[in-house]
Amino acid sequence: MESPRLPAPPGVDDRWLVSDRLGHQLIRVMRAVERAKAGKSVGPDGVERAAYVLLARLVLEGPRRSNALAESVHSDPSTVSRQVAGLVRAGLVERRPDPEDGRATLLAPTDEGLRVFHANRDRRNREIGAMTEYWDEADRVRLVELLEQLAGDLEDHHAPTPPSAAVRGQEAS
């Protein structure tokens, strides 16, 4: 579906018009994802879908403390703690003693957690493959490259300003 052709405000350039089209398409994608997820807040394993993000992080990046996990997914530690408790109850994540600090624990995927992660990843990849099976492979690869660039730019643009950088910014004014 093409972006609607609304009249542009006076004085805008082509870059603004392309950004407007991109914004429209991003909204369409987000809405389509929301529709696909509607009514599916719990996965086939009885675990909250949001908790799978935590499981994936642990599988892909290795065991870590709960606070470090919360930081890596840009989430509140209390929310992550609740979701981790569900993953532990489901047998997908376990707590292990931290070898660097015996008082602390590390979260790590269990064998069942690895199996569930790989099954979910396979299901997702098959769905994406089916949706894009008629695409030219070069277009699929280019889309991945562009989305990687966009995701990185979004993360950088919305990253919290470190306190030292905020102070430097005030001194410069």
Side-chain angles (χ1 to χ4, degrees), residues 68-143:
L69 181 59
E71 188 176 305
S72 74
V73 297
H74 311 288
S75 190
D76 182 74
S78 63
T79 301
V80 167
S81 178
R82 182 182 52 78
Q83 292 170 335
V84 163
L87 290 168
V88 169
R89 277 192 306 276
L92 305 178
V93 167
E94 64 185 2
R95 289 182 171 88
R96 298 178 182 165
D98 184 339
E100 295 178 16
D101 180 352
R103 299 167 297 170
T105 60
L106 296 177
L107 301 167
T110 62
D111 289 342
E112 179 63 5
L114 290 170
R115 186 199 66 73
V116 166
F117 168 79
H118 290 298
N120 280 310
R121 183 180 188 188
D122 182 62
R123 184 173 33 258
R124 180 202 65 198
N125 290 348
R126 288 178 187 278
E127 286 180 23
I128 292 170
M131 283 187 285
T132 60
E133 69 183 332
Y134 62 91
W135 290 29
D136 180 75
E137 188 62 19
D139 288 342
R140 287 168 39 107
V141 169
R142 184 69 181 136
L143 177 61

Coordinates of all heavy atoms in Angstrom, one line a residue, residues 68-143:
A68 N 21.6 -6.7 35.1 CA 22.3 -6.5 33.8 C 21.3 -6.9 32.7 O 21.3 -6.3 31.6 CB 23.6 -7.4 33.8
L69 N 20.5 -7.9 33.0 CA 19.5 -8.4 32.0 C 18.5 -7.3 31.7 O 18.2 -6.9 30.6 CB 18.8 -9.7 32.4 CG 17.8 -10.3 31.5 CD1 18.4 -10.6 30.1 CD2 17.2 -11.5 32.1
A70 N 18.0 -6.7 32.8 CA 17.0 -5.6 32.7 C 17.7 -4.4 31.9 O 17.0 -3.8 31.0 CB 16.6 -5.1 34.1
E71 N 18.9 -4.1 32.2 CA 19.6 -3.0 31.5 C 19.7 -3.3 30.0 O 19.5 -2.5 29.2 CB 20.9 -2.8 32.1 CG 21.6 -1.5 31.6 CD 23.0 -1.3 32.3 OE1 22.9 -1.2 33.6 OE2 24.0 -1.2 31.7
S72 N 20.0 -4.5 29.7 CA 20.3 -4.9 28.3 C 19.0 -4.9 27.5 O 19.1 -4.7 26.2 CB 21.0 -6.3 28.2 OG 20.1 -7.3 28.5
V73 N 17.8 -5.0 28.1 CA 16.6 -5.0 27.3 C 15.8 -3.6 27.6 O 14.7 -3.5 27.2 CB 15.7 -6.2 27.6 CG1 16.3 -7.5 27.2 CG2 15.2 -6.2 29.1
H74 N 16.5 -2.7 28.3 CA 16.0 -1.4 28.6 C 14.6 -1.5 29.3 O 13.6 -0.9 28.9 CB 15.8 -0.6 27.3 CG 17.1 -0.5 26.4 ND1 18.2 0.2 26.8 CD2 17.4 -1.1 25.3 CE1 19.1 0.0 25.9 NE2 18.7 -0.8 25.0
S75 N 14.6 -2.3 30.3 CA 13.3 -2.5 31.0 C 13.6 -2.3 32.5 O 14.7 -2.3 33.0 CB 12.8 -3.9 30.8 OG 11.6 -4.1 31.3
D76 N 12.5 -2.1 33.2 CA 12.5 -1.9 34.7 C 12.9 -3.2 35.4 O 12.4 -4.3 35.0 CB 11.1 -1.5 35.1 CG 11.1 -1.2 36.6 OD1 11.6 -0.2 37.0 OD2 10.5 -2.1 37.3
P77 N 13.8 -3.2 36.3 CA 14.3 -4.4 37.0 C 13.1 -5.2 37.7 O 13.1 -6.4 37.7 CB 15.3 -3.9 38.1 CG 15.8 -2.6 37.5 CD 14.6 -2.0 36.8
S78 N 12.1 -4.5 38.2 CA 11.0 -5.2 38.8 C 10.2 -6.0 37.8 O 9.7 -7.1 38.1 CB 10.1 -4.3 39.6 OG 9.5 -3.3 38.8
T79 N 10.0 -5.4 36.6 CA 9.3 -6.1 35.5 C 10.1 -7.3 35.1 O 9.5 -8.4 34.9 CB 9.1 -5.2 34.3 OG1 8.3 -4.0 34.8 CG2 8.4 -5.9 33.2
V80 N 11.4 -7.2 34.9 CA 12.3 -8.3 34.5 C 12.2 -9.4 35.6 O 12.2 -10.6 35.3 CB 13.7 -7.8 34.2 CG1 14.7 -8.9 34.1 CG2 13.7 -6.9 32.9
S81 N 12.3 -9.0 36.8 CA 12.2 -9.9 37.9 C 11.0 -10.8 37.9 O 11.0 -12.0 38.0 CB 12.3 -9.2 39.3 OG 12.3 -10.1 40.3
R82 N 9.8 -10.2 37.6 CA 8.6 -10.9 37.5 C 8.6 -11.9 36.3 O 8.2 -13.0 36.4 CB 7.4 -9.9 37.4 CG 6.0 -10.5 37.4 CD 4.9 -9.5 37.2 NE 5.1 -8.6 36.1 CZ 4.9 -9.0 34.8 NH1 4.5 -10.1 34.5 NH2 5.0 -8.1 33.8
Q83 N 9.1 -11.4 35.2 CA 9.1 -12.2 34.0 C 10.1 -13.4 34.2 O 9.8 -14.5 33.7 CB 9.5 -11.4 32.8 CG 8.3 -10.4 32.4 CD 8.8 -9.4 31.4 OE1 9.9 -9.1 31.2 NE2 7.8 -8.9 30.7
V84 N 11.2 -13.1 34.8 CA 12.2 -14.2 35.0 C 11.6 -15.2 36.0 O 11.8 -16.4 35.7 CB 13.5 -13.6 35.7 CG1 14.4 -14.7 36.3 CG2 14.3 -12.8 34.6
A85 N 10.9 -14.8 37.0 CA 10.2 -15.8 37.9 C 9.3 -16.7 37.1 O 9.3 -17.9 37.3 CB 9.4 -15.0 38.9
G86 N 8.6 -16.2 36.1 CA 7.8 -17.1 35.2 C 8.6 -18.0 34.4 O 8.3 -19.2 34.2
L87 N 9.8 -17.5 33.9 CA 10.7 -18.4 33.1 C 11.3 -19.5 34.0 O 11.4 -20.6 33.5 CB 11.8 -17.6 32.5 CG 11.3 -16.6 31.3 CD1 12.5 -15.6 31.0 CD2 10.9 -17.4 30.1
V88 N 11.6 -19.1 35.2 CA 12.1 -20.1 36.2 C 11.1 -21.2 36.5 O 11.3 -22.4 36.5 CB 12.7 -19.5 37.4 CG1 13.0 -20.5 38.5 CG2 13.9 -18.6 37.1
R89 N 9.8 -20.7 36.8 CA 8.7 -21.7 37.1 C 8.5 -22.6 35.9 O 8.2 -23.8 36.1 CB 7.4 -20.9 37.4 CG 7.3 -20.4 38.8 CD 5.9 -19.9 39.1 NE 5.4 -18.9 38.2 CZ 5.7 -17.6 38.3 NH1 6.4 -17.2 39.3 NH2 5.2 -16.8 37.5
A90 N 8.6 -22.1 34.7 CA 8.4 -22.9 33.5 C 9.6 -23.8 33.2 O 9.5 -24.6 32.2 CB 8.1 -22.0 32.3
G91 N 10.7 -23.7 33.9 CA 11.8 -24.5 33.7 C 12.7 -24.1 32.5 O 13.5 -24.9 32.0
L92 N 12.5 -22.9 32.1 CA 13.3 -22.4 30.9 C 14.6 -21.6 31.3 O 15.5 -21.5 30.5 CB 12.4 -21.5 30.1 CG 11.1 -22.1 29.6 CD1 10.3 -21.0 28.8 CD2 11.3 -23.3 28.8
V93 N 14.6 -21.1 32.5 CA 15.7 -20.4 33.0 C 16.0 -20.9 34.4 O 15.1 -21.3 35.2 CB 15.5 -18.9 33.1 CG1 16.5 -18.1 33.9 CG2 15.4 -18.3 31.6
E94 N 17.3 -20.9 34.8 CA 17.7 -21.3 36.1 C 18.6 -20.3 36.7 O 19.3 -19.5 36.0 CB 18.4 -22.7 36.1 CG 19.7 -22.7 35.4 CD 20.4 -24.1 35.3 OE1 19.7 -25.0 35.7 OE2 21.4 -24.2 34.7
R95 N 18.7 -20.3 38.0 CA 19.6 -19.4 38.8 C 20.8 -20.2 39.1 O 20.7 -21.3 39.7 CB 18.9 -18.8 40.0 CG 17.8 -17.8 39.7 CD 17.2 -17.2 41.0 NE 16.3 -16.1 40.7 CZ 15.0 -16.3 40.4 NH1 14.5 -17.5 40.4 NH2 14.3 -15.2 40.1
R96 N 22.0 -19.6 38.9 CA 23.3 -20.3 39.2 C 24.1 -19.3 40.1 O 24.0 -18.1 39.9 CB 24.1 -20.6 37.9 CG 23.4 -21.5 36.9 CD 24.3 -21.6 35.7 NE 23.7 -22.4 34.7 CZ 24.1 -22.5 33.4 NH1 25.1 -21.8 33.0 NH2 23.5 -23.3 32.6
P97 N 24.9 -19.9 40.9 CA 25.8 -19.0 41.7 C 26.8 -18.3 40.8 O 27.3 -18.8 39.8 CB 26.6 -20.0 42.6 CG 25.9 -21.3 42.5 CD 25.1 -21.3 41.2
D98 N 27.0 -17.0 41.1 CA 27.9 -16.2 40.3 C 29.3 -16.5 40.8 O 29.6 -16.4 41.9 CB 27.6 -14.7 40.5 CG 28.5 -13.8 39.7 OD1 29.6 -14.2 39.2 OD2 28.1 -12.6 39.5
P99 N 30.2 -17.1 39.9 CA 31.5 -17.5 40.3 C 32.4 -16.3 40.8 O 33.3 -16.5 41.5 CB 32.1 -18.1 39.0 CG 31.3 -17.7 37.9 CD 29.9 -17.3 38.4
E100 N 32.0 -15.1 40.4 CA 32.8 -13.9 40.8 C 32.3 -13.3 42.1 O 33.0 -12.6 42.8 CB 32.7 -12.8 39.7 CG 33.4 -13.2 38.5 CD 33.3 -12.2 37.4 OE1 32.9 -11.0 37.7 OE2 33.5 -12.5 36.2
D101 N 31.0 -13.7 42.5 CA 30.5 -13.2 43.8 C 29.5 -14.2 44.3 O 28.4 -14.3 43.8 CB 29.8 -11.8 43.6 CG 29.2 -11.2 44.8 OD1 29.2 -11.9 45.9 OD2 28.7 -10.1 44.8
G102 N 29.9 -15.0 45.3 CA 29.1 -16.1 45.8 C 27.7 -15.6 46.4 O 26.8 -16.4 46.5
R103 N 27.5 -14.3 46.7 CA 26.3 -13.9 47.2 C 25.3 -13.6 46.1 O 24.1 -13.5 46.3 CB 26.5 -12.5 47.9 CG 27.4 -12.7 49.1 CD 27.8 -11.3 49.6 NE 28.6 -10.6 48.6 CZ 29.0 -9.4 48.6 NH1 28.6 -8.6 49.6 NH2 29.6 -8.9 47.6
A104 N 25.7 -13.5 44.8 CA 24.9 -13.1 43.7 C 24.6 -14.4 42.9 O 25.3 -15.4 43.0 CB 25.5 -12.1 42.8
T105 N 23.6 -14.3 42.0 CA 23.2 -15.4 41.1 C 23.2 -14.9 39.7 O 23.0 -13.7 39.4 CB 21.9 -16.0 41.4 OG1 20.8 -15.0 41.3 CG2 21.8 -16.6 42.8
L106 N 23.5 -15.8 38.8 CA 23.4 -15.5 37.4 C 22.2 -16.2 36.8 O 21.8 -17.3 37.3 CB 24.6 -16.0 36.6 CG 26.0 -15.4 37.0 CD1 27.1 -16.0 36.2 CD2 25.9 -13.9 36.7
L107 N 21.5 -15.7 35.8 CA 20.4 -16.3 35.2 C 20.9 -16.9 33.9 O 21.7 -16.3 33.2 CB 19.3 -15.3 34.8 CG 18.8 -14.5 36.0 CD1 18.0 -13.3 35.5 CD2 17.9 -15.4 36.8
A108 N 20.5 -18.2 33.6 CA 21.0 -18.9 32.5 C 19.9 -19.8 31.9 O 19.0 -20.3 32.7 CB 22.2 -19.8 32.8
P109 N 19.8 -19.9 30.6 CA 18.8 -20.8 30.0 C 19.1 -22.3 30.4 O 20.2 -22.7 30.5 CB 19.0 -20.6 28.5 CG 20.3 -20.1 28.3 CD 20.7 -19.4 29.6
T110 N 18.0 -23.0 30.6 CA 18.1 -24.5 30.8 C 18.1 -25.2 29.5 O 17.9 -24.5 28.4 CB 16.9 -25.0 31.6 OG1 15.7 -24.8 30.9 CG2 16.8 -24.3 33.0
D111 N 18.3 -26.5 29.5 CA 18.2 -27.2 28.2 C 16.8 -27.0 27.6 O 16.7 -26.9 26.4 CB 18.5 -28.7 28.4 CG 20.0 -29.0 28.7 OD1 20.8 -28.1 28.4 OD2 20.3 -30.1 29.3
E112 N 15.8 -27.0 28.4 CA 14.5 -26.8 27.9 C 14.3 -25.4 27.4 O 13.6 -25.2 26.4 CB 13.4 -27.1 29.0 CG 12.0 -26.9 28.6 CD 11.5 -27.8 27.5 OE1 12.2 -28.7 27.0 OE2 10.3 -27.6 27.0
G113 N 14.9 -24.4 28.0 CA 14.9 -23.0 27.6 C 15.5 -22.9 26.2 O 15.0 -22.2 25.3
L114 N 16.7 -23.6 26.0 CA 17.3 -23.6 24.7 C 16.4 -24.2 23.6 O 16.3 -23.7 22.5 CB 18.6 -24.4 24.7 CG 19.8 -23.7 25.5 CD1 20.9 -24.7 25.7 CD2 20.2 -22.4 24.9
R115 N 15.7 -25.3 24.0 CA 14.8 -26.0 23.0 C 13.7 -25.1 22.6 O 13.4 -24.9 21.5 CB 14.3 -27.3 23.6 CG 13.4 -28.1 22.6 CD 12.5 -29.1 23.3 NE 11.5 -28.5 24.1 CZ 10.4 -27.9 23.6 NH1 10.2 -27.7 22.3 NH2 9.5 -27.4 24.5
V116 N 13.1 -24.4 23.6 CA 12.0 -23.5 23.4 C 12.4 -22.3 22.5 O 11.8 -21.9 21.6 CB 11.3 -23.0 24.7 CG1 10.4 -21.8 24.5 CG2 10.6 -24.2 25.4
F117 N 13.6 -21.8 22.9 CA 14.2 -20.6 22.1 C 14.3 -21.1 20.6 O 13.9 -20.3 19.7 CB 15.5 -20.2 22.7 CG 16.2 -19.3 21.7 CD1 15.9 -17.9 21.7 CD2 17.3 -19.7 20.9 CE1 16.5 -17.1 20.8 CE2 17.9 -18.9 20.1 CZ 17.6 -17.5 20.0
H118 N 14.9 -22.2 20.4 CA 15.2 -22.6 19.0 C 13.9 -22.9 18.3 O 13.7 -22.6 17.1 CB 16.1 -23.8 19.0 CG 17.5 -23.4 19.4 ND1 18.3 -22.5 18.6 CD2 18.3 -23.8 20.4 CE1 19.5 -22.4 19.2 NE2 19.5 -23.1 20.3
A119 N 12.9 -23.5 19.0 CA 11.6 -23.8 18.4 C 10.9 -22.5 18.0 O 10.3 -22.4 16.9 CB 10.7 -24.6 19.3
N120 N 10.9 -21.5 18.9 CA 10.3 -20.2 18.6 C 11.0 -19.5 17.4 O 10.4 -18.9 16.5 CB 10.3 -19.3 19.8 CG 9.1 -19.6 20.7 OD1 8.0 -19.8 20.3 ND2 9.4 -19.8 22.0
R121 N 12.3 -19.6 17.4 CA 13.1 -18.9 16.4 C 12.8 -19.6 15.0 O 12.6 -18.9 14.0 CB 14.6 -19.1 16.7 CG 15.5 -18.4 15.8 CD 17.0 -18.6 16.2 NE 17.9 -17.9 15.5 CZ 19.2 -18.1 15.6 NH1 19.7 -18.9 16.5 NH2 20.0 -17.3 14.8
D122 N 12.7 -20.9 15.0 CA 12.4 -21.6 13.8 C 11.0 -21.3 13.3 O 10.9 -21.0 12.1 CB 12.5 -23.1 14.0 CG 12.3 -23.9 12.8 OD1 13.0 -23.8 11.8 OD2 11.3 -24.7 12.7
R123 N 10.1 -21.2 14.2 CA 8.7 -20.8 13.8 C 8.6 -19.4 13.2 O 8.1 -19.2 12.1 CB 7.7 -20.9 15.0 CG 6.3 -20.7 14.7 CD 5.3 -21.0 15.8 NE 5.8 -20.7 17.2 CZ 6.3 -21.7 18.0 NH1 6.2 -22.9 17.7 NH2 6.7 -21.3 19.2
R124 N 9.3 -18.5 13.9 CA 9.4 -17.1 13.4 C 10.0 -17.0 12.0 O 9.5 -16.4 11.1 CB 10.2 -16.2 14.3 CG 10.2 -14.8 13.9 CD 11.4 -14.0 14.5 NE 12.7 -14.6 14.1 CZ 13.8 -14.4 14.7 NH1 13.9 -13.7 15.8 NH2 14.9 -15.0 14.2
N125 N 11.1 -17.7 11.8 CA 11.9 -17.7 10.5 C 11.1 -18.3 9.4 O 11.1 -17.8 8.3 CB 13.2 -18.3 10.7 CG 14.2 -17.5 11.5 OD1 13.9 -16.3 11.9 ND2 15.3 -18.0 12.0
R126 N 10.3 -19.4 9.7 CA 9.5 -20.0 8.7 C 8.3 -19.0 8.3 O 8.0 -19.0 7.1 CB 8.9 -21.3 9.2 CG 10.0 -22.4 9.3 CD 9.4 -23.7 9.8 NE 10.4 -24.7 10.0 CZ 10.9 -25.5 9.1 NH1 10.5 -25.4 7.9 NH2 11.9 -26.3 9.4
E127 N 7.8 -18.3 9.2 CA 6.7 -17.4 8.9 C 7.2 -16.2 8.0 O 6.6 -15.9 7.0 CB 6.1 -16.8 10.2 CG 5.2 -17.8 10.9 CD 4.6 -17.2 12.2 OE1 4.5 -15.9 12.3 OE2 4.2 -18.0 13.1
I128 N 8.4 -15.7 8.4 CA 8.9 -14.6 7.6 C 9.3 -15.1 6.2 O 9.1 -14.5 5.2 CB 10.2 -14.0 8.3 CG1 9.7 -13.2 9.6 CG2 11.0 -13.1 7.4 CD1 10.9 -12.8 10.5
G129 N 9.9 -16.3 6.2 CA 10.2 -16.9 4.9 C 9.0 -17.1 4.0 O 9.1 -16.8 2.8
A130 N 7.9 -17.5 4.6 CA 6.7 -17.7 3.8 C 6.1 -16.4 3.3 O 5.7 -16.2 2.2 CB 5.6 -18.4 4.6
M131 N 6.2 -15.3 4.1 CA 5.7 -14.0 3.7 C 6.6 -13.4 2.6 O 6.1 -12.6 1.8 CB 5.7 -13.0 4.9 CG 4.6 -13.2 5.9 SD 4.6 -11.9 7.1 CE 6.0 -12.4 8.2
T132 N 7.8 -13.7 2.6 CA 8.7 -13.1 1.6 C 9.3 -14.1 0.6 O 10.2 -13.7 -0.1 CB 9.9 -12.4 2.4 OG1 10.7 -13.4 3.1 CG2 9.5 -11.3 3.3
E133 N 8.6 -15.2 0.4 CA 9.2 -16.2 -0.5 C 9.2 -15.8 -1.9 O 10.1 -16.3 -2.7 CB 8.4 -17.5 -0.4 CG 7.0 -17.5 -0.9 CD 6.2 -18.8 -0.7 OE1 6.9 -19.8 -0.6 OE2 5.0 -18.8 -0.5
Y134 N 8.4 -14.9 -2.3 CA 8.4 -14.4 -3.7 C 9.3 -13.2 -3.9 O 9.5 -12.7 -5.1 CB 6.9 -14.0 -4.1 CG 6.4 -12.9 -3.3 CD1 6.5 -11.6 -3.8 CD2 5.7 -13.1 -2.1 CE1 6.0 -10.5 -3.0 CE2 5.2 -12.1 -1.4 CZ 5.3 -10.8 -1.8 OH 4.8 -9.7 -1.1
W135 N 10.0 -12.7 -2.9 CA 10.9 -11.6 -3.0 C 12.2 -12.1 -3.6 O 12.6 -13.2 -3.4 CB 11.2 -11.0 -1.6 CG 10.1 -10.3 -0.9 CD1 8.8 -10.5 -1.0 CD2 10.3 -9.3 0.0 NE1 8.1 -9.7 -0.2 CE2 9.0 -8.9 0.5 CE3 11.4 -8.7 0.6 CZ2 8.9 -7.9 1.4 CZ3 11.2 -7.7 1.5 CH2 10.0 -7.3 1.9
D136 N 12.8 -11.2 -4.3 CA 14.2 -11.4 -4.8 C 15.1 -11.5 -3.6 O 15.0 -10.7 -2.6 CB 14.6 -10.2 -5.7 CG 16.0 -10.4 -6.3 OD1 16.2 -11.2 -7.2 OD2 16.9 -9.7 -5.7
E137 N 16.0 -12.4 -3.6 CA 16.9 -12.6 -2.4 C 17.7 -11.3 -2.1 O 18.0 -11.0 -0.9 CB 17.9 -13.8 -2.6 CG 18.7 -14.1 -1.4 CD 17.8 -14.6 -0.2 OE1 16.6 -14.9 -0.3 OE2 18.3 -14.5 0.9
A138 N 18.1 -10.6 -3.1 CA 18.9 -9.4 -2.9 C 18.0 -8.3 -2.2 O 18.6 -7.6 -1.3 CB 19.4 -8.8 -4.3
D139 N 16.7 -8.3 -2.5 CA 15.8 -7.4 -1.8 C 15.7 -7.8 -0.3 O 15.7 -6.9 0.6 CB 14.5 -7.4 -2.4 CG 14.4 -6.6 -3.8 OD1 15.4 -5.9 -4.1 OD2 13.5 -6.9 -4.5
R140 N 15.6 -9.1 0.0 CA 15.5 -9.5 1.4 C 16.8 -9.1 2.1 O 16.7 -8.6 3.3 CB 15.3 -11.0 1.4 CG 14.0 -11.5 1.0 CD 13.9 -13.0 0.8 NE 14.6 -13.8 1.7 CZ 14.0 -14.6 2.7 NH1 12.7 -14.6 2.9 NH2 14.8 -15.3 3.5
V141 N 17.9 -9.3 1.5 CA 19.2 -9.0 2.2 C 19.3 -7.5 2.4 O 19.7 -7.0 3.5 CB 20.4 -9.5 1.4 CG1 21.7 -9.0 1.9 CG2 20.4 -11.0 1.4
R142 N 18.9 -6.7 1.4 CA 19.0 -5.2 1.5 C 18.0 -4.8 2.6 O 18.3 -3.8 3.4 CB 18.6 -4.6 0.2 CG 18.8 -3.1 0.2 CD 20.2 -2.7 0.3 NE 20.3 -1.2 0.3 CZ 21.0 -0.5 1.2 NH1 21.8 -1.1 2.0 NH2 21.0 0.8 1.1
L143 N 16.8 -5.4 2.7 CA 15.9 -5.0 3.8 C 16.5 -5.2 5.2 O 16.4 -4.4 6.0 CB 14.6 -5.7 3.6 CG 13.5 -5.4 4.7 CD1 13.2 -4.0 4.8 CD2 12.3 -6.3 4.6

